[in-house]
Amino acid sequence: MERTLYVVLSFLLPWPPLVGGELFSYRDDEFSAQVLGDSQGRLIVRVVTEAQTCLKTFQPIEIRGFGQALLYLGWSNGSLLFSLNNIELIEDCLGVTPFVLTTNDINFSPIPSAILPPLHTIQTSDEQELFFLETLRDIESKFLERKRYGLIRSAGLLRQLLLDSNALAHVVNQKYRLPIRFRVMDYRTPPPGNPTMHWQSLDPTLYPKSPTIDINLDTFLKAPCLKMTSSQASVRDVIRACANAMGGVHMGTARTAQEKVVVDMEDVISIMGEGPTISALSNLCRISLRAMLPFVNAIHNAA
């Protein structure tokens, strides 16, 4: 049995954490892998197959920068290879030196921060504009709270804001005629190795020095987020699946193969205790709120 996993991982900061916890996990019918960090800054890898269980503790990690790295886990016939930024880690033992992870020296925090100005200070008598502003405020509050229930509920708000036939962004823009632009990470270069499963983050906030592109609404909704085997899910699919099948508006079953990718992948991968769908929704909230800032400013200036 062989498995190859690549993950761009943002470590908990400060590092080492006061309390250890899971950083990443993957599971399928034949194989599961879990990576944990402990209070000494070491990484612990646990692999379980039908034939055996492998548990290894690797040298402590010392982080210089904001703690982001490419994690590689390779499993082949009972042999485990584990590396960060293409440098193989060694198992922990007495006298082993820490692995120094040097990353970009950027003031980075994984904790969400407010995006919109105080919306209660914006005065408008237009009912559609008021509903638009309150919708944005609702999305931001769920984004900042960062709880699973609220983020799934935000999918219904994102659908109303961007996808519906009378999407709020278009309704408000009938007056202001502004270009709707979304800044995302440049997703046009395919990942190396043509992975059978791929989780694509579009939020450039999480990867400050990565190249970005500015795209319109239609292109944004078509941008790829998740891939599983031969099916791929776009931004539109993530929003619809969470709104229509996972409880954002309705609780039911996925309507398309693309929406099923979204639902199924939640059971396969976890990073920092979150499934890819929840993290993707959080990212889409932040990207969308930033794209709506020109409309917020236009409403404020017209008041």
Side-chain angles (χ1 to χ4, degrees):
M1 176 189 298
E2 294 187 1
R3 291 292 188 277
T4 300
L5 304 174
Y6 284 98
V7 183
V8 177
L9 188 65
S10 295
F11 284 82
L12 294 167
L13 294 180
W15 186 268
L18 295 177
V19 179
E22 181 183 286
L23 301 180
F24 168 76
S25 69
Y26 169 87
R27 54 198 169 276
D28 59 36
D29 293 339
E30 300 177 329
F31 173 89
S32 70
Q34 184 181 37
V35 179
L36 305 103
D38 69 7
S39 59
Q40 299 180 51
R42 301 175 301 182
L43 296 185
I44 303 165
V45 179
R46 182 172 185 263
V47 171
V48 178
T49 69
E50 292 182 352
Q52 67 182 114
T53 296
C54 174
L55 182 66
K56 289 189 177 184
T57 301
F58 292 88
Q59 66 197 107
I61 307 296
E62 180 181 325
I63 296 177
R64 298 175 185 174
F66 69 93
Q68 197 173 79
L70 177 65
L71 181 153
Y72 167 80
L73 190 155
W75 176 265
S76 178
N77 298 321
S79 177
L80 173 67
L81 180 63
F82 188 61
S83 70
L84 289 178
N85 289 351
N86 297 317
I87 299 176
E88 185 175 353
L89 297 187
I90 60 176
E91 290 190 60
D92 186 48
C93 61
L94 184 64
V96 67
T97 59
F99 175 88
V100 178
L101 177 61
T102 302
T103 59
N104 298 322
D105 188 14
I106 296 174
N107 184 19
F108 169 83
S109 173
I111 302 174
S113 57
I115 297 165
L116 301 172
L119 297 183
H120 67 276
T121 65
I122 300 177
Q123 304 296 320
T124 177
S125 59
D126 187 301
E127 285 295 325
Q128 292 178 333
E129 292 179 352
L130 283 172
F131 197 83
F132 171 77
L133 293 174
E134 288 300 323
T135 299
L136 296 186
R137 181 153 60 177
D138 201 1
I139 292 172
E140 185 176 58
S141 69
K142 289 173 170 51
F143 164 73
L144 293 175
E145 191 178 28
R146 202 175 173 81
K147 292 184 178 179
R148 178 183 176 85
Y149 174 83
L151 285 169
I152 289 177
R153 284 296 191 186
S154 74
L157 299 171
L158 289 173
R159 191 188 75 176
Q160 190 173 21
L161 179 69
L162 304 175
L163 267 67
D164 286 352
S165 58
N166 58 340
L168 287 173
H170 291 310
V171 170
V172 170
N173 204 24
Q174 289 176 2
K175 176 179 178 180
Y176 296 102
R177 302 294 180 183
L178 297 173
I180 305 177
R181 307 295 291 177
F182 298 80
R183 177 158 294 180
V184 299
M185 287 179 56
D186 191 346
Y187 56 84
R188 297 170 296 182
T189 301
N194 190 29
T196 57
M197 190 172 296
H198 183 224
W199 171 13
Q200 169 78 56
S201 175
L202 297 174
D203 187 1
T205 307
L206 305 178
Y207 310 95
K209 287 200 171 182
S210 297
T212 62
I213 53 175
D214 291 336
I215 54 180
N216 62 24
L217 175 58
D218 186 58
T219 305
F220 174 61
L221 294 177
K222 293 177 182 177
C225 281
L226 308 173
K227 175 187 175 182
M228 183 181 287
T229 59
S230 59
S231 296
Q232 183 168 273
S234 65
V235 169
R236 177 184 279 106
D237 298 320
V238 170
I239 295 174
R240 283 181 172 170
C242 293
N244 300 334
M246 294 178 65
V249 177
H250 307 288
M251 185 72 75
T253 58
R255 300 177 182 179
T256 66
Q258 291 75 26
E259 291 180 15
K260 193 173 187 303
V261 169
V262 178
V263 176
D264 289 348
M265 207 162 183
E266 195 71 6
D267 296 328
V268 175
I269 295 176
S270 172
I271 293 184
M272 310 295 275
E274 289 185 345
T277 300
I278 301 304
S279 288
L281 273 177
S282 178
N283 295 344
L284 297 182
C285 284
R286 177 156 38 198
I287 293 168
S288 300
L289 289 171
R290 285 182 169 166
M292 295 300 109
L293 275 174
F295 299 99
V296 174
N297 294 331
I299 294 170
H300 175 72
N301 293 334

